[in-house]
Amino acid sequence: MSAYDVIVIGAGSVGTPTAYFLAKAGIRPLVIDSAASVGQGASKAAIGGVRATHSDVAKIRTCLASLDVFSQWEEEHGDNIEWMQGGYSFVAYRDREEKILKDLLVVQKAHGLGIDWIERDELLGMVPDLEPNGLIGGTFSPGDGSASPLLATHGFFKKAVELGADFAFRETVTAIRTEGGRVVGVTTDKGRFDAPVVINATGGAARAVSQLAGLDVPVQPDSHEAGVTEPVARFLSPMIVDIRPDVGSKNYYFYQHRTGQVIFCITPDPPIVGEDRRETSEFLPMIARRMVRLMPRLRELKVRRTWRGLYPMTPDGSPIVGWAPELKGYVHAVGMCGQGFMLGPGLGQLITRLVREETTEEDRDVLAGFAPEREFAAMEALK
Amino acid sequence: MTDSGRYLIHDHPILTVPDTGTVEFTWAGKTLTARRGLPISSALFANGIRTFGHHHKDGSPQGIFCANGQCSQCSVLVDGRPAKSCMVLVEDGMKVEPLNGLPSLPPVATVDVAHAASPTDAALVATASGGESGKAADRAAHAATTEMREPEHRSCDCLVIGGGPAGLSAAIEMGKAGVDVLLVDDKHALGGKLVLQTHKFFGSMADCYAGMRGNEIGHLLADEVKTYDNINVWTNTNAVAVFSDRKVGLVRDGKDYVLVEPKTLLVAAGAREKSLIFRGNSLPGVYGAGAFQTLVNRDLVRPAERLFIVGGGNVGLIAGYHALQAGIDVVGLIEALPECGGYKVHKDKLVRMGVPIYTSHTIVSANGKEGVESVTIAGIGPDWKAIPGTERSFACDTVLVAVGLDPVDEFYHKAREFGMNAFSAGDAHEIAEASAAMFSGRIQGREIARSLGCAVPDTPVEWAAKEEVLKSRPGNQGREFVPEKQEGVVPIFHCSQEIPCNPCISVCPIHGITTGDDIRHTPKFVGEAIGARCGGCGQCVSICPGLAITLVDYRKDAENPVVTIAHEFGKEAVKPGDIVDVLDTMGGWLGRCEVLKVRPGVIKLPDGKDEPEAEIAAIADAAGLSDEGDGAAERSTSAENSDARAAREVRAKAAPYLMQNAKQTYKLLLQAPRPIATQIAGIRVQKRTVTEPMDLYVERLTDDTVVCRCERVMAGEIRALIRAGCRDVNEIKTATRSGMGACGAKTCGGLIERIFAEEGVRREDVEKNVGRPFFVEIPLGVFCGVDLESSPGNEATLGAAPGGGTISTVRDSATSNVDVDASKGSGGASRVEAEQ
């Protein structure tokens, strides 16, 4: 039996940077994951987009912090995580989308975000391969970007280990032990570990893991499919997001990664609820049609690989992060709704301050937005 | 006449060089010619060009590796567009350029209706909605109306992936049973790797066409498949993925995406070659036997002048023989084990033609800058490491790596995982000889038909036994059997290792040859015991796949008998009157003899009265089936009759091929002194000077050894991760990108396993790579049915865009997007989703 300051369950997009920031702050964490290595769940299924241009303050602040971490990582650690600041562009071909985006812009600008409306011709100047016919314009947020979820999560892992964090792979938590309304540690299929703080960062399995502590969190995963192409010379800078609905799908988005590969993903409609991550035959014809319509030049771009990843959804589309009110020492860091990668580093810092009881005024605003005890009612406009 | 096309083979002892005319194309601005019908890669090889570009990551030279459409390393620019050179046929006027760095995505001109700049553009727009004609306008209109197609959906009783020996044999059985079969193969012609095999096959004539050349068997099976109306054959069709909704994605002719929902799936996709980790292993000029045979035997180009072979299994040994037949010097062959794993007759054939075989040796490095210039080998010590000081270097331009095969079984495992009724056959099931693959296919074909509820004859119990026998590894090595009597005509069998092979028995008109009760036993001449004399017809000499039978004829001059040996280097290679070096089975020099005559081989066909039944019984005995109970014996008997019939059918089909191919195996009649006559197994083909080592040990030019060729990941990076505790192939992928390239870990997968093993990690402790679609890279446009008119590789339309011009299309895509009712779905009008 070993004693740690904190046990993090889940070595993914949230658990791994959290372990890194905890270790950096001198707190000794143990990260437990049933996979054989770091980031093997939803983390490696993420396509790598990182933006702060959300519509609620909690996500905006968290992702601004993440952007700092991602954009400075290489300089700070000499570790290439394939960060690229290409920006995001949400495009509009119809009045309906134009209105949604412009309405949102008001909120985003109010939060001081670097995002603007770009008229058609200027947008075509920036993204010349967009289908020009019918294009009205779009938003552009130059501060947003992308990184490799594979390399970034692995980078956090390596640094966390260097700073003294322990990782137990191929180990499954079977019980969360409590005494007198406080968490005292966990039992796994291989042993027992004591710690006064346990953080649930288990993505799609969040609900089942919380139930081990007698708690319930409203997290239900659904799945999205994504793909990556061959690398080609750079022809595209920002992440392109098309929010028009179509038969079988809602929005889709793609960008040219720093490696020159285009990475793309689509939101199925209706959602495919559940944890099935096996490949389906419907995905590619569906997204290829939409991507090639939007950007005809993509038709000769060769698809290399596809995969399916889980979006651990909450009823209102916002994460659930913070101390569990019912159980002392237990931290929820779940329900990332498909944005765990971009939220992860910011949350890692936040959770570290939470555990050290050093939260700021701003942090408390953020934590209010992510509060486990909140009413899950309103749906965010642009999660 | 320029040098252009000087590495084309114009004359081959076995293969007929097709007269398809000449194609003129350019490479990096220089005009070159090649034989029409060649893929670009072979057209370049025909002109001595073996480096096709440089990797975008480290500028390392790139060239042919798989020659099979799988690895993408032979990519070039064709009229400005990237393409796998091994999969696209060269055309007149094609502008081919090296691919240095990342390719540019070809631009597509779109006409901006709102900003139509010229009357032409306006006309295009008008035409798109049904106006006047005009070529460009037509095309634009065409593009607008047939802009996108949904994938075709279809179903069938059985989808067979792979048209090689196993897939074809299975399809024939299903053809007979009336199963609705769709058979797909990614090549332009059926036959799989059989079409690359110019040597005669082993096994028995009655069961698996022994004595026929592999390419002939391929044609024969393909022809038979085509006689069944219920078998649909799609060549040039890639199976690209098996999906969890039990559909299989196919890409037909590089452009049509088809989703098939089969009731059963047979994966007969063959094997892929293993690779090795050594310095310089990714230099152009290092590739596998399959690639080599494709270049030489399918495309008839001479890809090398001086070849060095790594691996003494049948694949490496046979490739060496094919090289010699194509006029390529074979500098040497190394085998890590103390003895070659391939059939001894294959090895003997090479050795006595003058190819040195270094056993207990390993490759240290392939050396060169833009391609292979030399190879360095070393002896292996008891610790399985190279012994310092034993390094030797040989000048060569090509290193052929033939170190074993892995099944291509991804689709089978995916299909099983997804609950499909899936089967596998041939190498995709278990690596073995093609003859065994045919049995495996037959058995699975009947099995599938039965599972579909078709009435099929019971599978003869012997089939499984035969498959097992044909799979058997070479057995005991005996002494060569030399008859004591030295009079009349005496057949000598330089065949002393137990392998499943007996066509000599079948062709002997006096039934004087036997392998006893097991096809794997070595043959003996027992003429005297049955009161018959060898008449010296030489049919056994002509049919022996190992070229291991000679006749010694004492009748004219007992002191200087006439020795008949088989020789497959064409009519002109050796002429009467030539004095040749004669060698024994092991390549030992015996002396010099005069060639008296050169005659084409002859095979007369058996009269049908010989006993396939006896062979079957022998095989059944060998497999221990005769010990079974009465019931089994009964089944065996009834099956035997149908099997005997089947055997006769097989022979009848093989007959024309056998008669024809015998002519390519020339009989050399030599006069030899009595003491060495029975020892002569062949003549030296290659001069000694070819195989001499270089004076100097060539210093290695690179320190890193590449594991993942696509992403240029070095062994050291992977080793460091493993030493840091990594036990997950997926983590290696995550951290190094190894396996994330175009080929999808097809080559590095096995190499990473090896590094784990070298580091002392047990196999069961290593988390396996998660397999994902797609098997090969596919353009996005294929999935939505866009005409990729100007893409290379689309033969039907290649001519449509000469010079690689791009096509103008008129689109109104923005308005053609389906406007889904905003109230649909749970989120309401303002709901838009997250992205990451």
Side-chain angles (χ1 to χ4, degrees), chain A residues 184-326:
Chain A
V184 294
V186 303
T187 306
T188 72
D189 53 349
K190 291 182 182 164
R192 267 160 62 112
F193 301 97
D194 284 354
V197 176
V198 171
I199 301 171
N200 178 8
T202 53
R207 188 163 216 160
V209 169
S210 268
Q211 281 164 356
L212 295 175
L215 304 175
D216 193 29
V217 280
V219 175
Q220 167 69 59
D222 62 29
S223 64
H224 295 218
E225 269 181 286
V228 61
T229 70
E230 62 177 334
V232 292
R234 183 149 302 280
F235 69 101
L236 175 65
S237 277
M239 169 89 75
I240 303 296
V241 186
D242 181 357
I243 61 171
R244 283 175 292 180
D246 197 351
V247 175
S249 62
K250 291 181 179 162
N251 61 352
Y252 65 98
Y253 32 91
F254 57 90
Y255 75 105
Q256 190 177 18
H257 191 76
R258 188 152 134 188
T259 53
Q261 297 173 283
V262 170
I263 310 183
F264 53 92
C265 186
I266 197 164
T267 306
D269 182 31
I272 307 167
V273 175
E275 294 183 46
D276 191 350
R277 289 176 59 184
R278 304 175 309 168
E279 47 270 31
T280 72
S281 69
E282 286 127 27
F283 163 62
L284 259 168
M286 180 189 282
I287 193 165
R289 176 163 48 88
R290 300 197 66 185
M291 284 171 69
V292 174
R293 281 235 167 92
L294 188 77
M295 194 173 277
R297 191 178 180 184
L298 295 176
R299 63 196 198 171
E300 292 193 35
L301 188 61
K302 297 186 198 82
V303 179
R304 178 170 287 180
R305 224 118 32 236
T306 68
W307 63 90
R308 209 162 144 200
L310 298 185
Y311 275 45
M313 300 304 291
T314 61
D316 64 359
S318 266
I320 299 171
V321 181
W323 295 113
E326 315 90 328

Side-chain angles (χ1 to χ4, degrees), chain B residues 242-253:
Chain B
V242 175
F243 296 104
S244 59
D245 40 0
R246 299 180 187 179
K247 289 175 185 158
V248 181
L250 306 176
V251 176
R252 197 176 180 188
D253 295 327

